[in-house]
């Protein structure tokens, strides 16, 4: 919700007004160690409260977490905008509007820049090999060959999202430098797979 609001330049309430219920997590992008809120009709919230109690949920002295959540909300626009910029730079790479994979003229993968609106970049994987899971394994692994060629060891954790796509997500703990290293690692892995 907050990423969508920042990307569209509107208040979160403007988006949520069209929903029967809404949940907002305070961790990751907003930076709180834990916590979430749930909003909806009185009946919906009462039932959620009952189910939470049935499942053993609940916290005492949650004020410290609430303070972290409040701070995250107060800084949300700047923090999330930075995450969006890092994701965009990864998708663009040094190749400008063609996307990082296009710079390689790679038949392996592509990124649609039009689809990069927030902190999420979907990488489309083309061809029969490697699969998104195999590509993610190669991005996570560090080899001596990589260290010798690039002078650094970089492990990138991406998620195989579907049969032909993987997902990269930025949050407050991923810096501009991390985004650049991830882009270089993707280019390195794509080149090695083509060889």
């Amino acid at each position: 919700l907050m990423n969508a609001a920042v990307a569209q330049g509107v208040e979160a309430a403007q988006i949520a007004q069209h929903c029967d219920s809404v949940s907002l997590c305070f961790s990751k992008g907003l930076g709180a160690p834990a916590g979430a809120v749930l909003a909806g009709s009185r009946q919906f919230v009462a039932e959620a409260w009952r189910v939470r109690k049935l499942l053993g949920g609940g916290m005492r002295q949650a004020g410290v977490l609430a303070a972290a959540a409040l701070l995250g909300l107060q800084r949300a626009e700047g923090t999330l905008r930075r995450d969006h910029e890092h994701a965009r730079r990864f998708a663009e790479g040094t190749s400008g509007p063609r996307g990082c994979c296009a710079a390689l003229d790679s038949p392996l993968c592509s990124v649609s820049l039009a689809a990069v609106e927030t902190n999420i970049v979907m990488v489309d994987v083309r061809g029969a090999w490697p699969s998104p899971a195999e590509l993610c394994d190669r991005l996570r692994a560090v080899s001596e060959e990589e260290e010798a060629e690039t002078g650094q060891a970089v492990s990138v954790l991406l998620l195989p999202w579907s049969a032909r796509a993987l997902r990269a997500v930025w949050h407050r703990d991923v810096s501009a430098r991390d985004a650049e290293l991830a882009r270089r690692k993707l280019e390195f892995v794509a080149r090695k797979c083509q060889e």
Side-chain angles (χ1 to χ4, degrees):
L1 175 62
M2 296 306 293
N3 276 292
V6 168
Q8 293 179 28
V10 300
E11 294 292 324
Q14 190 173 341
I15 297 171
Q17 73 179 337
H18 303 289
C19 303
D20 294 330
S21 63
V22 64
S23 174
L24 178 62
C25 179
F26 296 123
S27 64
K28 291 262 181 156
L30 295 181
V37 291
L38 179 69
S41 70
R42 187 178 307 270
Q43 181 181 358
F44 174 77
V45 172
E47 178 63 11
W49 185 272
R50 186 186 74 76
V51 170
R52 180 185 65 93
K53 288 292 195 181
L54 281 173
L55 297 174
M59 297 181 72
R60 293 176 166 227
Q61 301 173 347
V64 172
L65 292 176
L70 180 59
L71 188 62
L73 283 171
Q74 290 170 342
R75 297 179 178 175
E77 185 172 351
T79 300
L80 298 179
R81 191 170 310 286
R82 187 186 68 232
D83 294 343
H84 297 181
E85 289 167 4
H86 293 169
R88 185 76 182 181
R89 271 192 238 120
F90 170 83
E92 289 175 347
T94 57
S95 64
R98 296 185 307 150
C100 68
C101 296
L104 303 170
D105 293 323
S106 175
L108 181 68
C109 56
S110 65
V111 173
S112 169
L113 292 179
V116 181
E117 298 178 279
T118 62
N119 63 324
I120 298 174
V121 176
M122 300 301 294
V123 179
D124 295 317
V125 180
R126 299 182 251 177
W129 181 89
S131 70
E134 291 167 325
L135 188 54
C136 287
D137 288 344
R138 288 173 175 263
L139 288 164
R140 183 177 50 250
V142 176
S143 67
E144 290 179 10
E145 181 181 21
E146 175 189 353
E147 289 186 70
E149 282 189 34
T150 66
Q152 53 198 348
V154 177
S155 179
V156 177
L157 303 177
L158 299 183
L159 179 69
W161 190 251
S162 70
R164 300 306 327 147
L166 51 99
R167 187 180 105 165
V169 180
W170 275 257
H171 56 81
R172 65 176 291 119
D173 296 326
V174 181
S175 69
R177 173 88 173 124
D178 295 335
E180 175 62 19
L181 290 172
R183 183 191 63 77
R184 288 181 190 172
K185 176 71 176 230
L186 180 57
E187 290 178 350
F188 172 81
V189 168
R191 189 173 70 249
K192 289 303 172 184
C193 286
Q194 288 175 31
E195 292 175 357

